[in-house]
mmCIF file of all heavy atoms in Angstrom:
data_model
loop_
_atom_site.group_PDB
_atom_site.id
_atom_site.type_symbol
_atom_site.label_atom_id
_atom_site.label_comp_id
_atom_site.label_asym_id
_atom_site.label_seq_id
_atom_site.Cartn_x
_atom_site.Cartn_y
_atom_site.Cartn_z
ATOM 1 N N ASN A 19 -31.624 52.255 -31.406
ATOM 2 C CA ASN A 19 -30.339 51.927 -30.789
ATOM 3 C C ASN A 19 -29.155 52.222 -31.703
ATOM 4 O O ASN A 19 -28.032 52.267 -31.268
ATOM 5 C CB ASN A 19 -30.309 50.465 -30.335
ATOM 6 C CG ASN A 19 -30.587 49.525 -31.462
ATOM 7 O OD1 ASN A 19 -30.080 49.738 -32.549
ATOM 8 N ND2 ASN A 19 -31.384 48.517 -31.225
ATOM 9 N N TRP A 80 -17.827 47.508 -34.457
ATOM 10 C CA TRP A 80 -18.988 48.195 -33.879
ATOM 11 C C TRP A 80 -18.765 48.563 -32.401
ATOM 12 O O TRP A 80 -19.238 49.602 -31.950
ATOM 13 C CB TRP A 80 -20.242 47.301 -34.005
ATOM 14 C CG TRP A 80 -21.536 48.033 -33.835
ATOM 15 C CD1 TRP A 80 -22.205 48.711 -34.808
ATOM 16 C CD2 TRP A 80 -22.317 48.148 -32.650
ATOM 17 N NE1 TRP A 80 -23.365 49.253 -34.273
ATOM 18 C CE2 TRP A 80 -23.457 48.914 -32.968
ATOM 19 C CE3 TRP A 80 -22.179 47.681 -31.332
ATOM 20 C CZ2 TRP A 80 -24.451 49.233 -32.038
ATOM 21 C CZ3 TRP A 80 -23.161 47.998 -30.406
ATOM 22 C CH2 TRP A 80 -24.285 48.760 -30.749
ATOM 23 N N CYS A 115 -10.575 40.995 -46.485
ATOM 24 C CA CYS A 115 -11.515 40.921 -45.358
ATOM 25 C C CYS A 115 -12.906 41.286 -45.863
ATOM 26 O O CYS A 115 -13.170 42.448 -46.153
ATOM 27 C CB CYS A 115 -11.088 41.882 -44.245
ATOM 28 S SG CYS A 115 -12.287 41.973 -42.886
ATOM 29 N N PRO A 116 -13.836 40.316 -45.963
ATOM 30 C CA PRO A 116 -15.189 40.635 -46.395
ATOM 31 C C PRO A 116 -15.926 41.413 -45.297
ATOM 32 O O PRO A 116 -15.779 41.083 -44.123
ATOM 33 C CB PRO A 116 -15.859 39.276 -46.616
ATOM 34 C CG PRO A 116 -14.848 38.230 -46.260
ATOM 35 C CD PRO A 116 -13.659 38.883 -45.659
ATOM 36 N N GLN A 117 -16.669 42.411 -45.710
ATOM 37 C CA GLN A 117 -17.411 43.186 -44.712
ATOM 38 C C GLN A 117 -18.842 43.456 -45.165
ATOM 39 O O GLN A 117 -19.070 43.933 -46.265
ATOM 40 C CB GLN A 117 -16.703 44.518 -44.434
ATOM 41 C CG GLN A 117 -17.293 45.269 -43.254
ATOM 42 C CD GLN A 117 -16.528 46.543 -42.920
ATOM 43 O OE1 GLN A 117 -16.930 47.619 -43.323
ATOM 44 N NE2 GLN A 117 -15.436 46.412 -42.181
ATOM 45 N N GLY A 118 -19.795 43.126 -44.292
ATOM 46 C CA GLY A 118 -21.193 43.437 -44.562
ATOM 47 C C GLY A 118 -21.542 44.759 -43.893
ATOM 48 O O GLY A 118 -20.966 45.795 -44.186
ATOM 49 N N GLY A 119 -22.444 44.714 -42.926
ATOM 50 C CA GLY A 119 -22.859 45.931 -42.212
ATOM 51 C C GLY A 119 -21.903 46.337 -41.109
ATOM 52 O O GLY A 119 -22.107 47.352 -40.438
ATOM 53 N N ASN A 120 -20.863 45.530 -40.866
ATOM 54 C CA ASN A 120 -19.876 45.769 -39.814
ATOM 55 C C ASN A 120 -20.537 45.901 -38.435
ATOM 56 O O ASN A 120 -20.179 46.784 -37.652
ATOM 57 C CB ASN A 120 -19.044 47.029 -40.134
ATOM 58 C CG ASN A 120 -17.780 47.102 -39.305
ATOM 59 O OD1 ASN A 120 -17.408 46.131 -38.629
ATOM 60 N ND2 ASN A 120 -17.125 48.253 -39.300
ATOM 61 N N THR A 121 -21.516 45.022 -38.167
ATOM 62 C CA THR A 121 -22.123 44.999 -36.836
ATOM 63 C C THR A 121 -21.661 43.783 -36.035
ATOM 64 O O THR A 121 -22.155 43.551 -34.923
ATOM 65 C CB THR A 121 -23.665 44.959 -36.921
ATOM 66 O OG1 THR A 121 -24.059 43.726 -37.544
ATOM 67 C CG2 THR A 121 -24.216 46.129 -37.729
ATOM 68 N N GLY A 122 -20.757 43.007 -36.595
ATOM 69 C CA GLY A 122 -20.264 41.814 -35.913
ATOM 70 C C GLY A 122 -19.629 42.187 -34.578
ATOM 71 O O GLY A 122 -19.064 43.268 -34.427
ATOM 72 N N LEU A 123 -19.700 41.266 -33.618
ATOM 73 C CA LEU A 123 -19.262 41.577 -32.259
ATOM 74 C C LEU A 123 -18.031 40.783 -31.811
ATOM 75 O O LEU A 123 -17.681 40.768 -30.648
ATOM 76 C CB LEU A 123 -20.441 41.363 -31.281
ATOM 77 C CG LEU A 123 -21.638 42.285 -31.525
ATOM 78 C CD1 LEU A 123 -22.843 41.872 -30.669
ATOM 79 C CD2 LEU A 123 -21.286 43.751 -31.258
ATOM 80 N N GLY A 126 -14.619 40.001 -36.472
ATOM 81 C CA GLY A 126 -14.397 39.280 -37.730
ATOM 82 C C GLY A 126 -14.515 40.146 -38.969
ATOM 83 O O GLY A 126 -13.974 39.837 -40.024
ATOM 84 N N SER A 127 -15.230 41.262 -38.855
ATOM 85 C CA SER A 127 -15.580 42.050 -40.033
ATOM 86 C C SER A 127 -14.555 43.127 -40.366
ATOM 87 O O SER A 127 -14.681 43.804 -41.381
ATOM 88 C CB SER A 127 -16.945 42.719 -39.833
ATOM 89 O OG SER A 127 -16.939 43.447 -38.611
ATOM 90 N N PHE A 138 -19.879 44.892 -49.260
ATOM 91 C CA PHE A 138 -20.996 44.475 -50.101
ATOM 92 C C PHE A 138 -22.119 45.488 -50.142
ATOM 93 O O PHE A 138 -23.231 45.207 -50.571
ATOM 94 C CB PHE A 138 -21.516 43.100 -49.631
ATOM 95 C CG PHE A 138 -20.414 42.096 -49.703
ATOM 96 C CD1 PHE A 138 -19.704 41.733 -48.570
ATOM 97 C CD2 PHE A 138 -19.992 41.601 -50.916
ATOM 98 C CE1 PHE A 138 -18.628 40.876 -48.656
ATOM 99 C CE2 PHE A 138 -18.926 40.754 -51.031
ATOM 100 C CZ PHE A 138 -18.243 40.392 -49.879
ATOM 101 N N ALA A 158 -26.262 39.749 -51.398
ATOM 102 C CA ALA A 158 -25.759 39.613 -50.028
ATOM 103 C C ALA A 158 -25.749 40.926 -49.260
ATOM 104 O O ALA A 158 -25.857 40.957 -48.032
ATOM 105 C CB ALA A 158 -24.361 39.042 -50.068
ATOM 106 N N ASP A 179 -34.583 38.238 -36.904
ATOM 107 C CA ASP A 179 -34.674 39.636 -36.494
ATOM 108 C C ASP A 179 -33.629 39.862 -35.415
ATOM 109 O O ASP A 179 -33.460 39.013 -34.536
ATOM 110 C CB ASP A 179 -36.085 39.904 -35.944
ATOM 111 C CG ASP A 179 -36.297 41.376 -35.659
ATOM 112 O OD1 ASP A 179 -35.475 42.209 -36.083
ATOM 113 O OD2 ASP A 179 -37.300 41.704 -34.983
ATOM 114 N N LEU A 180 -32.920 40.970 -35.507
ATOM 115 C CA LEU A 180 -31.955 41.273 -34.463
ATOM 116 C C LEU A 180 -31.795 42.775 -34.317
ATOM 117 O O LEU A 180 -32.189 43.542 -35.217
ATOM 118 C CB LEU A 180 -30.584 40.608 -34.728
ATOM 119 C CG LEU A 180 -29.914 40.670 -36.073
ATOM 120 C CD1 LEU A 180 -28.408 40.619 -35.892
ATOM 121 C CD2 LEU A 180 -30.347 39.499 -36.897
ATOM 122 N N GLY A 181 -31.231 43.184 -33.184
ATOM 123 C CA GLY A 181 -31.122 44.606 -32.877
ATOM 124 C C GLY A 181 -30.360 45.396 -33.940
ATOM 125 O O GLY A 181 -30.552 46.601 -34.081
ATOM 126 N N ALA A 182 -29.493 44.713 -34.682
ATOM 127 C CA ALA A 182 -28.680 45.397 -35.700
ATOM 128 C C ALA A 182 -29.366 45.414 -37.064
ATOM 129 O O ALA A 182 -28.726 45.739 -38.066
ATOM 130 C CB ALA A 182 -27.320 44.689 -35.810
ATOM 131 N N THR A 185 -28.757 47.921 -39.924
ATOM 132 C CA THR A 185 -27.405 48.082 -40.473
ATOM 133 C C THR A 185 -26.844 46.774 -41.056
ATOM 134 O O THR A 185 -26.141 46.788 -42.067
ATOM 135 C CB THR A 185 -26.437 48.580 -39.372
ATOM 136 O OG1 THR A 185 -27.035 49.695 -38.714
ATOM 137 C CG2 THR A 185 -25.107 49.024 -39.938
ATOM 138 N N CYS A 186 -27.118 45.646 -40.405
ATOM 139 C CA CYS A 186 -26.487 44.386 -40.851
ATOM 140 C C CYS A 186 -27.013 43.944 -42.214
ATOM 141 O O CYS A 186 -28.135 44.290 -42.595
ATOM 142 C CB CYS A 186 -26.672 43.269 -39.817
ATOM 143 S SG CYS A 186 -28.374 42.748 -39.574
ATOM 144 N N HIS A 187 -26.192 43.177 -42.935
ATOM 145 C CA HIS A 187 -26.576 42.680 -44.259
ATOM 146 C C HIS A 187 -27.032 41.222 -44.141
ATOM 147 O O HIS A 187 -26.496 40.481 -43.290
ATOM 148 C CB HIS A 187 -25.373 42.706 -45.205
ATOM 149 C CG HIS A 187 -24.856 44.058 -45.525
ATOM 150 N ND1 HIS A 187 -23.781 44.258 -46.373
ATOM 151 C CD2 HIS A 187 -25.259 45.300 -45.131
ATOM 152 C CE1 HIS A 187 -23.528 45.551 -46.499
ATOM 153 N NE2 HIS A 187 -24.413 46.209 -45.737
ATOM 154 N N VAL A 188 -27.886 40.818 -45.063
ATOM 155 C CA VAL A 188 -28.297 39.403 -45.032
ATOM 156 C C VAL A 188 -27.097 38.474 -45.331
ATOM 157 O O VAL A 188 -27.031 37.376 -44.779
ATOM 158 C CB VAL A 188 -29.479 39.115 -45.995
ATOM 159 C CG1 VAL A 188 -30.766 39.716 -45.464
ATOM 160 C CG2 VAL A 188 -29.201 39.605 -47.400
ATOM 161 N N GLY A 189 -26.168 38.943 -46.139
ATOM 162 C CA GLY A 189 -24.951 38.148 -46.397
ATOM 163 C C GLY A 189 -24.133 37.985 -45.109
ATOM 164 O O GLY A 189 -23.567 36.927 -44.864
ATOM 165 N N GLY A 190 -24.073 39.054 -44.322
ATOM 166 C CA GLY A 190 -23.393 38.980 -43.022
ATOM 167 C C GLY A 190 -24.133 38.057 -42.079
ATOM 168 O O GLY A 190 -23.534 37.289 -41.317
ATOM 169 N N ASN A 191 -25.463 38.098 -42.142
ATOM 170 C CA ASN A 191 -26.268 37.224 -41.283
ATOM 171 C C ASN A 191 -25.984 35.751 -41.596
ATOM 172 O O ASN A 191 -25.800 34.937 -40.688
ATOM 173 C CB ASN A 191 -27.764 37.462 -41.477
ATOM 174 C CG ASN A 191 -28.210 38.871 -41.094
ATOM 175 O OD1 ASN A 191 -29.177 39.398 -41.652
ATOM 176 N ND2 ASN A 191 -27.508 39.493 -40.149
ATOM 177 N N VAL A 192 -25.956 35.433 -42.887
ATOM 178 C CA VAL A 192 -25.690 34.046 -43.272
ATOM 179 C C VAL A 192 -24.259 33.681 -42.886
ATOM 180 O O VAL A 192 -23.993 32.596 -42.355
ATOM 181 C CB VAL A 192 -25.929 33.846 -44.791
ATOM 182 C CG1 VAL A 192 -25.365 32.529 -45.281
ATOM 183 C CG2 VAL A 192 -27.420 33.922 -45.105
ATOM 184 N N SER A 193 -23.320 34.576 -43.139
ATOM 185 C CA SER A 193 -21.909 34.271 -42.880
ATOM 186 C C SER A 193 -21.635 34.078 -41.377
ATOM 187 O O SER A 193 -20.648 33.419 -41.028
ATOM 188 C CB SER A 193 -21.011 35.385 -43.417
ATOM 189 O OG SER A 193 -21.259 35.539 -44.810
ATOM 190 N N THR A 194 -22.471 34.683 -40.532
ATOM 191 C CA THR A 194 -22.284 34.479 -39.083
ATOM 192 C C THR A 194 -23.296 33.458 -38.529
ATOM 193 O O THR A 194 -23.266 33.174 -37.337
ATOM 194 C CB THR A 194 -22.491 35.799 -38.305
ATOM 195 O OG1 THR A 194 -23.781 36.347 -38.670
ATOM 196 C CG2 THR A 194 -21.403 36.806 -38.599
ATOM 197 N N ASN A 195 -24.203 32.977 -39.363
ATOM 198 C CA ASN A 195 -25.319 32.152 -38.891
ATOM 199 C C ASN A 195 -26.015 32.873 -37.725
ATOM 200 O O ASN A 195 -26.190 32.305 -36.645
ATOM 201 C CB ASN A 195 -24.837 30.765 -38.448
ATOM 202 C CG ASN A 195 -25.993 29.827 -38.125
ATOM 203 O OD1 ASN A 195 -27.110 30.014 -38.624
ATOM 204 N ND2 ASN A 195 -25.736 28.815 -37.310
ATOM 205 N N ALA A 196 -26.403 34.102 -37.965
ATOM 206 C CA ALA A 196 -27.002 34.925 -36.901
ATOM 207 C C ALA A 196 -28.247 34.259 -36.331
ATOM 208 O O ALA A 196 -29.014 33.626 -37.046
ATOM 209 C CB ALA A 196 -27.343 36.297 -37.475
ATOM 210 N N GLY A 197 -28.410 34.414 -35.029
ATOM 211 C CA GLY A 197 -29.565 33.823 -34.347
ATOM 212 C C GLY A 197 -30.659 34.861 -34.170
ATOM 213 O O GLY A 197 -31.549 34.977 -34.993
ATOM 214 N N GLY A 198 -30.579 35.627 -33.099
ATOM 215 C CA GLY A 198 -31.498 36.746 -32.928
ATOM 216 C C GLY A 198 -32.702 36.430 -32.066
ATOM 217 O O GLY A 198 -32.737 35.457 -31.318
ATOM 218 N N LEU A 199 -33.704 37.297 -32.230
ATOM 219 C CA LEU A 199 -34.783 37.398 -31.256
ATOM 220 C C LEU A 199 -35.889 36.350 -31.446
ATOM 221 O O LEU A 199 -36.675 36.119 -30.535
ATOM 222 C CB LEU A 199 -35.380 38.817 -31.320
ATOM 223 C CG LEU A 199 -34.335 39.934 -31.162
ATOM 224 C CD1 LEU A 199 -34.863 41.276 -31.671
ATOM 225 C CD2 LEU A 199 -33.880 40.044 -29.719
ATOM 226 N N GLU A 247 -18.015 32.731 -41.611
ATOM 227 C CA GLU A 247 -17.462 34.080 -41.334
ATOM 228 C C GLU A 247 -16.443 34.538 -42.395
ATOM 229 O O GLU A 247 -15.415 35.113 -42.064
ATOM 230 C CB GLU A 247 -16.855 34.127 -39.934
ATOM 231 C CG GLU A 247 -17.844 33.758 -38.835
ATOM 232 C CD GLU A 247 -17.235 33.777 -37.432
ATOM 233 O OE1 GLU A 247 -16.830 34.868 -36.997
ATOM 234 O OE2 GLU A 247 -17.149 32.717 -36.800
ATOM 235 N N GLY A 248 -16.776 34.259 -43.650
ATOM 236 C CA GLY A 248 -15.935 34.747 -44.745
ATOM 237 C C GLY A 248 -14.593 34.070 -44.878
ATOM 238 O O GLY A 248 -13.733 34.571 -45.584
ATOM 239 N N GLY A 251 -15.391 31.350 -48.310
ATOM 240 C CA GLY A 251 -15.869 31.914 -49.568
ATOM 241 C C GLY A 251 -16.667 33.168 -49.285
ATOM 242 O O GLY A 251 -16.951 33.496 -48.143
ATOM 243 N N ILE A 252 -16.975 33.847 -50.384
ATOM 244 C CA ILE A 252 -17.719 35.112 -50.266
ATOM 245 C C ILE A 252 -19.158 34.848 -50.718
ATOM 246 O O ILE A 252 -19.388 34.363 -51.831
ATOM 247 C CB ILE A 252 -17.095 36.169 -51.212
ATOM 248 C CG1 ILE A 252 -15.614 36.403 -50.872
ATOM 249 C CG2 ILE A 252 -17.894 37.469 -51.161
ATOM 250 C CD1 ILE A 252 -15.353 36.961 -49.520
ATOM 251 N N VAL A 253 -20.094 35.181 -49.857
ATOM 252 C CA VAL A 253 -21.520 34.993 -50.202
ATOM 253 C C VAL A 253 -21.953 36.184 -51.053
ATOM 254 O O VAL A 253 -21.795 37.340 -50.630
ATOM 255 C CB VAL A 253 -22.379 34.924 -48.924
ATOM 256 C CG1 VAL A 253 -23.864 34.770 -49.283
ATOM 257 C CG2 VAL A 253 -21.921 33.791 -48.019
ATOM 258 N N THR A 254 -22.477 35.901 -52.249
ATOM 259 C CA THR A 254 -22.890 37.015 -53.121
ATOM 260 C C THR A 254 -24.414 37.104 -53.286
ATOM 261 O O THR A 254 -24.945 38.179 -53.450
ATOM 262 C CB THR A 254 -22.211 36.879 -54.505
ATOM 263 O OG1 THR A 254 -22.311 35.513 -54.927
ATOM 264 C CG2 THR A 254 -20.754 37.299 -54.452
ATOM 265 N N ARG A 374 -35.124 46.467 -25.064
ATOM 266 C CA ARG A 374 -34.385 45.196 -25.104
ATOM 267 C C ARG A 374 -33.233 45.241 -26.119
ATOM 268 O O ARG A 374 -32.105 44.854 -25.818
ATOM 269 C CB ARG A 374 -35.355 44.038 -25.438
ATOM 270 C CG ARG A 374 -34.728 42.785 -26.008
ATOM 271 C CD ARG A 374 -33.762 42.100 -25.044
ATOM 272 N NE ARG A 374 -33.078 40.968 -25.655
ATOM 273 C CZ ARG A 374 -31.915 41.057 -26.313
ATOM 274 N NH1 ARG A 374 -31.269 42.212 -26.397
ATOM 275 N NH2 ARG A 374 -31.364 39.980 -26.817
ATOM 276 N N GLU A 375 -33.520 45.738 -27.329
ATOM 277 C CA GLU A 375 -32.502 45.713 -28.393
ATOM 278 C C GLU A 375 -31.381 46.706 -28.119
ATOM 279 O O GLU A 375 -30.287 46.585 -28.680
ATOM 280 C CB GLU A 375 -33.163 46.004 -29.752
ATOM 281 C CG GLU A 375 -34.065 44.852 -30.204
ATOM 282 C CD GLU A 375 -34.825 45.169 -31.485
ATOM 283 O OE1 GLU A 375 -34.385 46.046 -32.255
ATOM 284 O OE2 GLU A 375 -35.874 44.542 -31.706
ATOM 285 N N ALA A 378 -27.468 45.999 -26.077
ATOM 286 C CA ALA A 378 -26.160 45.704 -26.697
ATOM 287 C C ALA A 378 -25.265 46.925 -26.803
ATOM 288 O O ALA A 378 -24.050 46.831 -26.632
ATOM 289 C CB ALA A 378 -26.384 45.104 -28.090
ATOM 290 N N GLY A 379 -25.853 48.088 -27.090
ATOM 291 C CA GLY A 379 -25.034 49.299 -27.287
ATOM 292 C C GLY A 379 -24.929 50.166 -26.051
ATOM 293 O O GLY A 379 -23.981 50.962 -25.935
ATOM 294 N N HIS A 422 -31.273 35.289 -25.132
ATOM 295 C CA HIS A 422 -32.311 34.484 -25.744
ATOM 296 C C HIS A 422 -32.453 33.206 -24.926
ATOM 297 O O HIS A 422 -31.932 32.159 -25.300
ATOM 298 C CB HIS A 422 -31.933 34.190 -27.189
ATOM 299 C CG HIS A 422 -31.296 35.369 -27.887
ATOM 300 N ND1 HIS A 422 -32.014 36.479 -28.249
ATOM 301 C CD2 HIS A 422 -30.001 35.632 -28.261
ATOM 302 C CE1 HIS A 422 -31.198 37.353 -28.830
ATOM 303 N NE2 HIS A 422 -29.980 36.875 -28.844
ATOM 304 N N HIS A 429 -26.031 36.495 -23.072
ATOM 305 C CA HIS A 429 -25.010 37.492 -23.352
ATOM 306 C C HIS A 429 -24.559 38.068 -22.016
ATOM 307 O O HIS A 429 -25.394 38.595 -21.265
ATOM 308 C CB HIS A 429 -25.575 38.617 -24.223
ATOM 309 C CG HIS A 429 -26.060 38.128 -25.553
ATOM 310 N ND1 HIS A 429 -25.273 37.439 -26.424
ATOM 311 C CD2 HIS A 429 -27.273 38.222 -26.153
ATOM 312 C CE1 HIS A 429 -25.956 37.139 -27.505
ATOM 313 N NE2 HIS A 429 -27.183 37.589 -27.373
ATOM 314 N N GLU A 463 -23.990 32.606 -30.968
ATOM 315 C CA GLU A 463 -24.541 33.137 -32.216
ATOM 316 C C GLU A 463 -23.666 34.195 -32.872
ATOM 317 O O GLU A 463 -23.903 34.539 -34.024
ATOM 318 C CB GLU A 463 -25.961 33.704 -31.975
ATOM 319 C CG GLU A 463 -25.979 34.834 -30.957
ATOM 320 C CD GLU A 463 -27.312 35.547 -30.818
ATOM 321 O OE1 GLU A 463 -28.304 35.099 -31.423
ATOM 322 O OE2 GLU A 463 -27.353 36.558 -30.095
ATOM 323 N N HIS A 464 -22.695 34.756 -32.202
ATOM 324 C CA HIS A 464 -21.914 35.843 -32.815
ATOM 325 C C HIS A 464 -20.722 35.340 -33.628
ATOM 326 O O HIS A 464 -20.160 36.092 -34.428
ATOM 327 C CB HIS A 464 -21.405 36.827 -31.736
ATOM 328 C CG HIS A 464 -22.515 37.545 -31.033
ATOM 329 N ND1 HIS A 464 -22.338 38.173 -29.828
ATOM 330 C CD2 HIS A 464 -23.814 37.716 -31.354
ATOM 331 C CE1 HIS A 464 -23.491 38.719 -29.444
ATOM 332 N NE2 HIS A 464 -24.403 38.443 -30.360
ATOM 333 N N GLY A 467 -14.786 34.805 -35.123
ATOM 334 C CA GLY A 467 -14.143 36.034 -35.573
ATOM 335 C C GLY A 467 -12.662 36.104 -35.257
ATOM 336 O O GLY A 467 -11.935 35.104 -35.297
ATOM 337 N N ASN A 500 -10.138 36.313 -45.161
ATOM 338 C CA ASN A 500 -10.285 36.680 -43.733
ATOM 339 C C ASN A 500 -9.269 35.987 -42.816
ATOM 340 O O ASN A 500 -9.651 35.251 -41.887
ATOM 341 C CB ASN A 500 -11.723 36.381 -43.290
ATOM 342 C CG ASN A 500 -12.287 37.540 -42.473
ATOM 343 O OD1 ASN A 500 -11.633 38.569 -42.300
ATOM 344 N ND2 ASN A 500 -13.495 37.382 -41.949
HETATM 345 P P1 FAD B 601 -20.292 41.976 -40.569
HETATM 346 O O1 FAD B 601 -20.206 42.406 -39.162
HETATM 347 O O2 FAD B 601 -19.892 42.940 -41.607
HETATM 348 O O3 FAD B 601 -19.436 40.640 -40.775
HETATM 349 C C1 FAD B 601 -19.592 39.549 -39.901
HETATM 350 C C2 FAD B 601 -18.721 38.384 -40.430
HETATM 351 O O4 FAD B 601 -19.236 37.918 -41.661
HETATM 352 C C3 FAD B 601 -17.292 38.786 -40.719
HETATM 353 O O5 FAD B 601 -16.440 37.705 -40.449
HETATM 354 C C4 FAD B 601 -17.280 39.103 -42.212
HETATM 355 O O6 FAD B 601 -16.019 38.900 -42.791
HETATM 356 C C5 FAD B 601 -18.279 38.077 -42.722
HETATM 357 N N1 FAD B 601 -19.066 38.519 -43.889
HETATM 358 C C6 FAD B 601 -19.908 39.582 -43.982
HETATM 359 N N2 FAD B 601 -20.509 39.595 -45.180
HETATM 360 C C7 FAD B 601 -20.014 38.539 -45.868
HETATM 361 C C8 FAD B 601 -20.242 38.016 -47.177
HETATM 362 N N3 FAD B 601 -21.110 38.549 -48.018
HETATM 363 N N4 FAD B 601 -19.568 36.892 -47.531
HETATM 364 C C9 FAD B 601 -18.690 36.295 -46.699
HETATM 365 N N5 FAD B 601 -18.449 36.751 -45.457
HETATM 366 C C10 FAD B 601 -19.092 37.862 -45.047
HETATM 367 N N6 FAD B 601 -26.082 38.593 -33.747
HETATM 368 C C11 FAD B 601 -26.944 37.565 -33.540
HETATM 369 O O7 FAD B 601 -26.652 36.435 -33.969
HETATM 370 N N7 FAD B 601 -28.102 37.748 -32.847
HETATM 371 C C12 FAD B 601 -28.468 38.951 -32.355
HETATM 372 O O8 FAD B 601 -29.510 39.074 -31.720
HETATM 373 C C13 FAD B 601 -27.606 40.044 -32.592
HETATM 374 N N8 FAD B 601 -27.932 41.286 -32.158
HETATM 375 C C14 FAD B 601 -27.107 42.320 -32.394
HETATM 376 C C15 FAD B 601 -27.478 43.576 -31.957
HETATM 377 C C16 FAD B 601 -26.644 44.663 -32.164
HETATM 378 C C17 FAD B 601 -27.095 46.035 -31.694
HETATM 379 C C18 FAD B 601 -25.403 44.474 -32.809
HETATM 380 C C19 FAD B 601 -24.482 45.626 -33.051
HETATM 381 C C20 FAD B 601 -25.017 43.223 -33.257
HETATM 382 C C21 FAD B 601 -25.873 42.132 -33.059
HETATM 383 N N9 FAD B 601 -25.538 40.850 -33.499
HETATM 384 C C22 FAD B 601 -26.402 39.818 -33.299
HETATM 385 C C23 FAD B 601 -24.266 40.619 -34.190
HETATM 386 C C24 FAD B 601 -24.295 40.952 -35.723
HETATM 387 O O9 FAD B 601 -25.280 41.891 -36.009
HETATM 388 C C25 FAD B 601 -24.516 39.694 -36.528
HETATM 389 O O10 FAD B 601 -23.405 38.860 -36.389
HETATM 390 C C26 FAD B 601 -24.773 39.958 -38.006
HETATM 391 O O11 FAD B 601 -25.176 38.762 -38.623
HETATM 392 C C27 FAD B 601 -23.560 40.546 -38.732
HETATM 393 O O12 FAD B 601 -23.973 41.018 -40.001
HETATM 394 P P2 FAD B 601 -23.124 42.140 -40.740
HETATM 395 O O13 FAD B 601 -23.699 42.323 -42.102
HETATM 396 O O14 FAD B 601 -23.011 43.345 -39.927
HETATM 397 O O15 FAD B 601 -21.740 41.421 -40.890
#
Side-chain angles (χ1 to χ4, degrees):
N19 57 42
W80 198 84
C115 174
Q117 189 176 98
N120 196 12
T121 65
L123 296 171
S127 54
F138 302 100
D179 187 12
L180 47 150
T185 311
C186 66
H187 294 181
V188 289
N191 298 151
V192 167
S193 303
T194 54
N195 188 23
L199 307 162
E247 303 178 65
I252 302 297
V253 178
T254 44
R374 158 63 185 90
E375 291 174 22
H422 320 289
H429 299 304
E463 60 172 7
H464 296 162
N500 226 3

